[in-house]
């Protein structure tokens, strides 16, 4: 490794997040590999780690300000002479400024004033990471050629756990080496690109069946599991279409189709399923709907309404009937009691390859939780249990089972 980046000039940008301490390890590894590291810190970064640590490791003074006596235009000098700019950790604020072209300090000015490749390594709390603004900024940067080393799952500041932790320093350095060698960055094993080029269609959320213009029949589905599946598939390289009833943020690059009723979900799913390699119905579709929704708001003064119900279309069954050869079809079953056996019956009835059973009577499982526990049932009789874990981890386990069925 040392020879390939020996003497290469790497501007190491460090922004203000708790993961700044891990940038010390990134700096050390780059220096050990022979790179010439020029540390650039934001003021906020210096609240978490000292400048002296970086200057001592890099044998190069830390640069922080656009207003340097030694160099009147430090950003253009840094930007022009860099072989690579690596920002680790990259905060939501830094990503926002960079995507918007706002030069609010030396580091943002430098990334805007360079033609060198730029790698950003975001690190932040899960809620921030999932925020639509952050994801859209990242998508904008990625479209412009910025390389994103995505965060990992794990412990976060304040004792929380989730997605958003800075990628491992070894992985960040491997990405820098790969980019400098012209090989491009591939998400390493553990966060695979095993769905590269695959078209994955996912449904998420509970449908809303109108009773009148202001009331509807629905259920407790939050869409978290479906969105986690869409994000996991996108992270693993898939072209994703997400049909959702919720306003949750979607993964960067995914096409999102917003629907509300079972009928609108059916229309969207059938339209897009024809070209999909994988179809996953994680949505909780209402089983019944008012046959004729009232045109005007029902009034208490008119007494109890007489609402005639009819079954909604069974979207999964229809997808099973129409599916093209080779397509992998996955259903979910939210059950109480004998969840696995009930799910097994649905697997056969709906003609799917995999049925994912959640026993929603168990603590932390199913509707609206951030966690889930499932048994993945295969049409071949195989069963895989996933203990209580994040919905992202469940999503990855489901995709692992799907990957085994592709081709
Ligand atoms: O959204 P979250 O809050 O994260 O919660 C996740 C979840 C619990 C909703 C999810 O993991 C889940 O289990 N989704 C399916 C829930 C469900 O409605 O199961 P079901 O047993 O009613 O339906 C079985 C399968 O048929 C499902 O894939 C469902 O999408 C599909 N179905 C059901 C009825 C219908 N009319 N059309 C369908 O396609």
């Amino acid at each position: 490794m040392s020879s390939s980046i020996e003497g290469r000039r790497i501007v190491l940008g460090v922004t203000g997040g708790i993961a700044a301490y891990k940038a010390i390890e990134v700096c050390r590894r780059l220096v050990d590999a022979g790179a010439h590291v020029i540390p650039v810190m934001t003021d906020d970064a210096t609240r978490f780690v000292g400048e002296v640590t970086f200057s001592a490791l890099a044998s190069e003074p830390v640069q922080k300000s656009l207003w340097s006596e030694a160099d009147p235009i430090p950003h253009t000098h840094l930007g022009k002479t860099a072989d690579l700019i690596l920002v680790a950790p990259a905060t939501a604020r830094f990503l926002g400024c960079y995507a918007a072209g706002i030069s609010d300090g030396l580091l943002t000015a430098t990334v805007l004033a360079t033609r060198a490749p730029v790698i950003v390594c975001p690190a932040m709390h899960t809620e921030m990471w999932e925020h639509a603004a952050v994801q859209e900024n990242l998508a904008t940067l990625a479209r412009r050629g910025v390389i994103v080393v995505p965060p990992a799952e794990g412990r976060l500041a304040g004792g929380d756990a989730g997605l958003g932790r800075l990628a491992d320093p070894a992985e960040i350095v491997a990405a820098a080496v790969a980019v400098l060698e012209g090989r491009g960055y591939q998400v390493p094993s553990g966060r695979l690109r095993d769905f590269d080029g695959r078209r994955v269609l996912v449904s998420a959320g509970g449908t809303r069946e109108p009773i009148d213009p202001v009331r509807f029949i629905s259920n407790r589905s939050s869409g978290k599991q479906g969105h986690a599946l869409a994000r996991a598939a996108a992270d693993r390289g898939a072209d994703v279409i997400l049909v959702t009833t919720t306003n949750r943020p979607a993964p960067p690059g995914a096409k999102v189709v917003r629907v509300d009723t079972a009928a609108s979900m059916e229309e969207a799913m059938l339209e897009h399923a024809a070209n999909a390699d994988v179809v996953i119905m994680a949505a909780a579709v209402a089983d019944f709907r008012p046959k004729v929704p009232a045109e005007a708001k029902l009034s208490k003064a008119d007494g109890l309404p007489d609402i005639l119900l009819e079954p909604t279309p069974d979207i999964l069954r229809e997808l099973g009937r129409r599916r093209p050869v080779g397509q992998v079809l996955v259903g979910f079953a939210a059950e109480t009691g004998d969840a696995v056996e009930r799910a097994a019956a649905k697997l056969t009835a709906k003609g799917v390859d995999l049925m994912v059973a959640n026993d929603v009577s168990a603590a932390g499982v199913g509707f609206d939780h951030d966690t889930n526990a499932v048994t993945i049932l295969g049409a071949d009789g195989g069963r895989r249990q996933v203990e209580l874990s994040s919905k992202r981890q469940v999503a990855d386990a489901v995709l692992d089972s799907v990957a085994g069925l592709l081709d």
Side-chain angles (χ1 to χ4, degrees):
M1 186 163 86
S2 61
S3 59
S4 63
I5 68 167
E6 185 93 48
R8 307 298 294 275
R9 284 176 66 88
I10 301 178
V11 171
L12 175 62
V14 184
T15 67
I18 181 64
Y21 78 92
K22 288 195 190 164
I24 297 169
E25 176 68 5
V26 173
C27 182
R28 188 190 64 74
R29 285 174 180 257
L30 291 171
V31 170
D32 284 355
H36 178 176
V37 178
I38 304 112
V40 173
M41 296 176 77
T42 62
D43 286 336
D44 284 344
T46 63
R47 291 171 181 265
F48 291 93
V49 279
E51 292 167 54
V52 179
T53 312
F54 284 96
S55 19
L57 277 173
S59 307
E60 180 84 33
V62 165
Q63 301 197 38
K64 285 191 340 186
S65 173
L66 273 168
W67 313 105
S68 153
E69 295 212 352
D71 185 349
I73 40 172
H75 58 300
T76 56
H77 180 70
L78 283 167
K80 274 187 186 160
T81 56
D83 293 308
L84 172 73
I85 299 179
L86 172 63
V87 183
T91 58
R93 176 197 170 103
F94 167 80
L95 296 168
C97 287
Y98 187 17
I102 296 169
S103 145
D104 72 341
L106 179 59
L107 185 59
T108 41
T110 303
V111 289
L112 293 171
T114 192
R115 294 212 165 92
V118 178
I119 300 177
V120 295
C121 310
M124 60 199 74
H125 249 71
T126 310
E127 292 81 353
M128 289 178 83
W129 168 249
E130 289 184 349
H131 196 283
V134 171
Q135 291 301 324
E136 279 165 26
N137 287 333
L138 273 166
T140 301
L141 293 172
R143 237 186 356 261
R144 294 176 187 155
V146 173
I147 299 134
V148 181
V149 176
E153 284 236 17
R155 277 179 62 105
L156 302 168
D160 292 343
L163 190 61
R165 172 193 171 102
L166 184 71
D168 197 70
E171 183 187 329
I172 292 171
V173 172
V177 171
V179 170
L180 282 169
E181 287 180 349
R183 289 186 279 117
Y185 167 68
Q186 287 277 320
V187 178
S189 60
R191 286 184 291 144
L192 301 166
R193 303 278 301 177
D194 54 351
F195 280 73
D196 253 335
R198 299 290 189 181
R199 290 157 302 182
V200 175
L201 174 64
V202 181
S203 70
T207 64
R208 295 174 164 199
E209 311 302 332
I211 295 170
D212 68 13
V214 298
R215 302 182 180 92
F216 53 80
I217 296 174
S218 191
N219 56 64
R220 293 178 185 278
S221 171
S222 62
K224 289 178 187 173
Q225 186 62 76
H227 280 242
L229 279 156
R231 185 176 297 276
D235 286 351
R236 291 166 71 153
D239 294 330
V240 176
I241 298 180
L242 174 61
V243 175
T244 179
T245 61
T246 81
N247 288 323
R248 298 192 157 277
K255 178 175 171 183
V256 180
V257 183
R258 309 257 178 213
V259 296
D260 51 5
T261 59
S264 57
M265 181 172 278
E266 181 186 39
E267 190 183 333
M269 292 301 290
L270 293 181
E271 178 189 341
H272 295 291
N275 294 317
D277 300 305
V278 180
V279 178
I280 306 176
M281 278 294 294
V285 184
D287 286 322
F288 303 103
R289 65 185 172 200
K291 198 172 168 92
V292 186
E295 280 177 17
K297 183 183 167 191
L298 296 172
S299 166
K300 226 173 10 180
D302 297 333
L304 274 183
D306 191 8
I307 302 170
L308 183 62
L309 298 176
E310 67 175 3
T312 52
D314 190 327
I315 306 170
L316 188 56
R317 198 186 287 258
E318 192 56 31
L319 287 165
R321 271 201 213 109
R322 297 192 189 189
R323 73 165 146 167
V325 177
Q327 182 181 80
V328 177
L329 185 57
V330 183
F332 270 72
E335 304 287 352
T336 54
D338 200 357
V340 172
E341 290 322 311
R342 286 167 195 260
K346 284 186 179 170
L347 180 143
T348 316
K350 303 213 183 201
V352 298
D353 298 297
L354 298 172
M355 185 59 84
V356 184
N358 358 219
D359 179 352
V360 294
S361 59
V365 176
F367 294 99
D368 202 28
H369 295 291
D370 292 328
T371 49
N372 208 356
V374 299
T375 305
I376 304 169
L377 310 176
D380 61 358
R383 290 187 181 188
R384 175 179 174 196
Q385 206 153 338
V386 184
E387 302 299 340
L388 192 68
S389 43
S390 70
K391 283 189 170 165
R392 170 59 194 250
Q393 283 166 321
V394 168
D396 274 313
V398 171
L399 291 179
D400 289 347
S401 296
V402 170
L405 296 175
L406 284 166
D407 296 335

